[in-house]
Amino acid sequence: MNNETVNLLGGNLTLTQLNAIFQTIPEEFDFIDEHDIVRWSSANKHRLFKRTDDDLGKHVLEVHPGHSQERVKQVLKQMHDGKRGVLSLIIHYHDKPVNIAFYSLHDNNGKYIGCVEVTQDVSGHQEKGAWWHNLKQVFFKKH
């Protein structure tokens, strides 16, 4: 099964390769379908907001903390209504800046089919001193 090929725009990947991509990159992805049900979450060690198999099949509001549910509901309504394509915001989580972005997904006919939520710790990204930071990344391997 892991050698099964998935045909994608831009090429083909095996399930092993596709799973390796989502296990390796430090961003976390959650796919929420057109009924606002969590259908898939990337399973990687970098996740800030843990997801379990029990979260699959739940309404997206059930996996978000109470203080953010009203905002999530508002964004999803705007996506359903075609009034918003993306929302990207920075929050602070455990004293780290974290970017959370919601991207509205549509089929080839423009019909809303859900959204993907992408979460990333951005504390390692910087604007000031970027040249020096990039140089250190090239010459001083962290691990």
Side-chain angles (χ1 to χ4, degrees), residues 7-11:
N7 297 320
L8 302 165
L9 292 175

Side-chain angles (χ1 to χ4, degrees), residues 12-32:
N12 304 312
L13 296 169
T14 67
L15 288 178
T16 299
Q17 293 165 333
L18 193 56
N19 280 317
I21 290 169
F22 286 113
Q23 288 173 339
T24 303
I25 58 176
E27 291 80 12
E28 57 194 61
F29 296 85
D30 296 309
F31 172 70
I32 297 108

Side-chain angles (χ1 to χ4, degrees), residues 22 25-31 40-51 93 98-101 116-121:
F22 286 113
I25 58 176
E27 291 80 12
E28 57 194 61
F29 296 85
D30 296 309
F31 172 70
W40 174 80
S41 291
S42 59
N44 67 41
K45 64 184 177 189
H46 310 287
R47 283 194 73 98
L48 298 169
F49 302 108
K50 302 300 179 203
R51 294 284 184 259
Y93 183 71
V98 174
N99 179 252
I100 301 175
V116 64
E117 179 180 356
V118 182
T119 304
Q120 178 183 23
D121 174 358

